[in-house]
Amino acid sequence: MSADDIPISQTALLLCDLQNDFIHPNGAYGKAGQTAAAIAAIPARLKPLADAMRARGGWIASTHFTLFTGKGGEPFIDPHLRKMRPFLKKGDFVMGSWGHQVVEELAPSDLPVEKVGYDAFYATRLEWILRKVGIRRLLVSGIVTNGGVASTVRGAHVREFHVTVLEDGCAAFTQELHDTAIAALRPVAEISSVAAELAKLR
């Protein structure tokens, strides 16, 4: 059976880390000046597809990068992440906070899952909840293409989900990083576009 033979009721649009703290100008990354036009454009581009998925009986799933906290609310930040993102501070990416939530254009998510690493299947309930509702196909979108998106796509592939990457529904901090990541995913996933998948639904 091809991916297109899988009914919409068994298909989820997976939003990888499209959270306020990553995307919104008032989020953790925005306030630190860690932005890119391609990343900022993703929510508006995905919104028509998300709306169509809901209208046709599909699912919206979302992954939420999370900084768990210890005593006093101090975040657990891995050394490699601290080195790359020294601006991260207490209160960023905390479960239940505004910054942790999916951006308003794409909310609400039917299946939100918090994660601590690049691969959204690592140490999370993502596979369990997708199996529980009968999801067999994932339309993958989000940020960043060469990080969380690529790792999650490979994680889905080895778990035998039908995976379609929305090339223009993902973004990285440079076009070169994005293009290289998409090329590397072609052996393990179908590559499509937001418009192509929207046309199938209509």
Side-chain angles (χ1 to χ4, degrees), residues 20-89:
N20 288 315
D21 264 339
F22 276 129
I23 306 291
H24 196 281
N26 293 329
Y29 273 56
K31 288 189 289 189
Q34 298 290 311
T35 59
I39 290 175
I42 291 297
R45 187 175 302 131
L46 285 173
K47 180 174 170 50
L49 180 58
D51 290 344
M53 289 285 293
R54 292 186 182 100
R56 292 287 306 278
W59 296 82
I60 307 296
S62 57
T63 70
H64 300 246
F65 176 69
T66 305
L67 289 177
F68 289 94
T69 58
K71 292 182 178 181
E74 291 299 325
F76 299 123
I77 302 178
D78 289 336
H80 81 280
L81 181 59
R82 175 70 75 187
K83 184 177 181 180
M84 290 191 304
R85 303 290 185 257
F87 57 85
L88 290 175
K89 64 185 185 306

Side-chain angles (χ1 to χ4, degrees), residues 17-201:
D17 303 353
L18 292 175
Q19 302 161 251
N20 288 315
D21 264 339
F22 276 129
I23 306 291
H24 196 281
N26 293 329
Y29 273 56
K31 288 189 289 189
Q34 298 290 311
T35 59
I39 290 175
I42 291 297
R45 187 175 302 131
L46 285 173
K47 180 174 170 50
L49 180 58
D51 290 344
M53 289 285 293
R54 292 186 182 100
R56 292 287 306 278
W59 296 82
I60 307 296
S62 57
T63 70
H64 300 246
F65 176 69
T66 305
L67 289 177
F68 289 94
T69 58
K71 292 182 178 181
E74 291 299 325
F76 299 123
I77 302 178
D78 289 336
H80 81 280
L81 181 59
R82 175 70 75 187
K83 184 177 181 180
M84 290 191 304
R85 303 290 185 257
F87 57 85
L88 290 175
K89 64 185 185 306
K90 183 177 178 179
D92 293 341
F93 295 98
V94 174
M95 280 196 303
S97 69
W98 169 83
H100 192 256
Q101 297 171 6
V102 171
V103 292
E104 184 177 357
E105 297 101 308
L106 299 173
S109 170
D110 303 310
L111 307 170
V113 174
E114 68 275 4
K115 71 184 186 74
V116 295
Y118 291 119
D119 180 358
F121 289 95
Y122 169 71
T124 77
R125 65 180 184 277
L126 180 58
E127 181 177 10
W128 182 87
I129 201 168
L130 293 176
R131 303 287 189 202
K132 202 70 173 176
V133 299
I135 299 300
R136 298 168 58 206
R137 185 186 185 207
L138 295 173
L139 303 177
V140 182
S141 64
I143 62 168
V144 288
T145 320
N146 57 304
V149 171
S151 296
T152 299
V153 166
R154 293 183 182 281
H157 170 71
V158 299
R159 289 168 175 83
E160 298 185 343
F161 287 96
H162 289 264
V163 187
T164 298
V165 178
L166 301 174
E167 183 171 6
D168 59 346
C170 303
F173 282 99
T174 70
Q175 189 63 39
E176 182 181 7
L177 286 172
H178 173 78
D179 292 343
T180 300
I182 290 294
L185 290 174
R186 289 186 183 278
V188 298
E190 175 190 6
I191 308 299
S192 187
S193 68
V194 172
E197 297 305 316
L198 191 55
K200 293 175 186 178
L201 290 177

